[in-house]
Amino acid sequence: MPTPTCETTGSAARHFPRRISLPTLAKAAQKCRGCSLYCHATHVVFGEGSRTAKLLLVGEQPGDQEDRAGQPFVGPSGRLLDETLLAAGIERSTVYVTNAVKHFKWKPSPTGKRRLHSKPNWTEIAACRPWLLEELKLVAPPLLMTLGATAAQSLLGKSFKLTQHRHEFLIPELPVHLPSPPLLLATVHPSSLLRMPDKAARDAARKEFLKDFQLVAKKLASL
Ligand code: URA
Ligand code: SF4
């Protein structure tokens, strides 16, 4: 719940700069009060990467380390993502990496010593979506990958079920008009793999995750 000093405006769009570009948006996002998540985070974490990237990756929200660094995917999930990109032969320079929600949502651990990830709710996802849609318009990539349910649902709607579309390229109806509509492949979030306690299940899930990146690599090579 927002505290009395934590005022919100209801939408990231209320904080857009007059002149829209990736750097001006990234700067404006630092002052975003679209939802209450800015009140308890250290940094806003805007997307990063090439403006002409052929592949845009959308995660859920920054984690503890991303919040401290102000950069996306620099913690444990980021390391797994980097390993997987490398294994699939995808150059990091061909990728733009961002998140559905730009501030870290967390709750204190039972001992109060650590900040534990807390899933963003629909209000927060919707409030933050305007940043993501502008990134999509400006980068306009031919390929789009969503990591996990939050990213997929932010772009494809609440009823999207990843299990029904595994390893599939979709032609999504995005909530934004792009001159050439991208293909979208929805995959799982790397943190879901890191959390699996059973080694055999984790190895199998990693294989499926890598398969998605290999499919994307093949598509990138055919562009
Ligand atoms: N998880 C995400 O979804 N995004 C990040 O930037 C880091 C972890
Ligand atoms: Fe703004 Fe998004 Fe941060 Fe909410 S999470 S304050 S909408 S940047």
Side-chain angles (χ1 to χ4, degrees):
M1 278 296 283
T3 58
T5 51
C6 176
E7 284 173 13
T8 65
T9 56
S11 173
R14 302 283 296 272
H15 305 274
F16 275 13
R18 207 166 296 162
R19 209 174 48 77
I20 305 263
S21 70
L22 287 173
T24 62
L25 286 163
K27 188 157 179 241
Q30 292 178 19
K31 298 220 170 112
C32 185
R33 292 177 286 122
C35 73
S36 62
L37 296 186
Y38 79 94
C39 300
H40 308 287
T42 314
H43 287 113
V44 73
V45 178
F46 206 74
E48 256 185 22
S50 160
R51 198 209 155 299
T52 55
K54 298 270 184 289
L55 171 63
L56 188 146
L57 295 180
V58 188
E60 182 192 82
Q61 60 165 347
D64 179 70
Q65 294 192 31
E66 288 78 13
D67 176 62
R68 294 175 202 276
Q71 288 180 286
F73 284 103
V74 292
S77 289
R79 279 191 288 281
L80 178 54
L81 179 63
D82 284 348
E83 252 174 53
T84 312
L85 284 168
L86 195 68
I90 300 175
E91 280 281 332
R92 192 59 205 247
S93 60
T94 61
V95 178
Y96 183 91
V97 183
T98 192
N99 283 300
V101 169
K102 310 297 197 226
H103 275 112
F104 178 36
K105 183 176 182 183
W106 59 277
K107 53 180 184 270
S109 63
T111 61
K113 288 201 178 132
R114 292 195 307 132
R115 303 188 300 171
L116 300 180
H117 166 273
S118 176
K119 211 173 159 54
N121 63 35
W122 192 249
T123 306
E124 292 150 354
I125 295 167
C128 211
R129 190 186 294 114
W131 295 126
L132 176 61
L133 297 184
E134 289 307 306
E135 289 176 294
L136 272 184
K137 278 199 256 174
L138 289 167
V139 179
L143 281 171
L144 198 55
M145 246 181 137
T146 54
L147 311 176
T150 298
Q153 290 176 354
S154 176
L155 292 178
L156 303 169
K158 244 182 183 171
S159 57
F160 180 80
K161 294 260 183 306
L162 175 56
T163 45
Q164 291 170 1
H165 298 282
R166 201 69 213 269
H167 309 309
E168 251 179 59
F169 282 103
L170 307 169
I171 303 174
E173 266 188 49
L174 294 171
V176 64
H177 176 74
L178 295 174
S180 26
L183 289 177
L184 185 151
L185 192 139
T187 191
V188 295
H189 195 283
S191 69
S192 68
L193 308 180
L194 296 172
R195 280 197 307 266
M196 286 182 170
D198 179 64
K199 183 167 183 318
R202 191 169 63 239
D203 287 349
R206 278 195 185 206
K207 238 190 200 157
E208 295 300 300
F209 187 58
L210 175 59
K211 180 175 162 185
D212 281 334
F213 283 82
Q214 287 168 330
L215 286 170
V216 165
K218 209 165 154 196
K219 195 63 91 178
L220 278 171
S222 74
L223 290 174

